[in-house]
Amino acid sequence: VIDDSFLVLLIIDTTQGIGEQDKRLASMIDDYGRGLVVVMNKWDLLDEDSRERIEAEYASELGYVSWAPRVNISATTGRNLEGLTKALAVSWDSYKKRISTARLNALIEEIVVSNPHPIRGGKQPKMKYASQVGVRPPTFVLHTRGKLDATYLRFIERRLREQFGFEGTPLRLRVKPQKRG
C-alpha cells in the first residue's frame, strides 16, 4: 500500500508507545520516498509524565523522519483534526515542490563559501552546481569534483530544508562526480 501512495499517515497509539512496527513502517515510508505525517493518537489520555516519555521516545526512535510534521490528536473526541488537515496540505505541497536552478545554485554557492567540504586525503571535493531532477519526492543532483561525505550531504539536506521548507517529504540527494579535464 505504501508504494501506491503519495502521502502516508503513520498513526501511533501513544498509550502503547512507539513499537517496532511503527519504526519499520516509518523506515519503509522513507525508503519508498513518500510524504509523511506522523499522527500521535490518544494524546488526550496521557498525563504530563507520559507525554514527556513519548516525546523522548519519538526523538530517539523516529528522529530519522524528523522532517515529517507531527500532529497530536484524539480520534475519539476529534481534538486537533484541523491540525491534521493542515499538516497533510503542507506535506503535499512540499512533496511536489520545485526549486529553480538559480535559487538552488545560489544556496549551494552560499554553502560552499561558508562551509566548504572538509579536506580528505589531501584533496577537497568541490561542488560545481546542482539541479532538481524530480519531485514526489524532491530529488536533486549535485555535480561535483570528488565524492562528498555522508555528513556533508546531511548538512546540505538540512540547509535545503531551512531555506525552502520541504516539511513532510523526504529529499533525495544524488552526487554525480565529474572527471577532471
Side-chain angles (χ1 to χ4, degrees), residues 55-148:
E55 293 284 357
E57 192 177 349
Y58 181 82
S60 70
E61 301 294 336
L62 295 177
Y64 59 93
V65 291
S66 62
W67 45 262
R70 194 186 94 190
V71 183
N72 302 330
I73 70 162
S74 169
T76 303
T77 67
R79 178 186 173 275
N80 202 24
L81 291 182
E82 69 282 350
L84 180 57
T85 303
K86 289 176 187 171
L88 283 167
V90 166
S91 290
W92 177 246
D93 288 344
S94 294
Y95 192 63
K96 60 188 179 83
K97 184 183 288 188
R98 185 169 292 280
I99 305 301
S100 75
T101 301
R103 288 180 66 205
L104 179 60
N105 281 298
L107 176 63
I108 294 299
E109 184 177 336
E110 179 186 313
I111 289 170
V112 168
V113 169
S114 64
N115 294 296
H117 191 286
I119 296 172
R120 300 284 188 250
K123 295 183 181 181
Q124 183 178 41
K126 293 189 174 24
M127 277 197 295
K128 297 173 75 176
Y129 66 96
S131 57
Q132 185 174 0
V133 296
V135 294
R136 296 194 269 174
T139 304
F140 302 90
V141 173
L142 306 171
H143 298 269
T144 66
R145 191 170 296 143
K147 187 178 181 208
L148 301 180

Side-chain angles (χ1 to χ4, degrees), residues 7 13 25 33 63 87 90 92 109 166:
L7 297 177
D13 180 343
L25 287 169
V90 166
W92 177 246
E109 184 177 336
F166 293 117

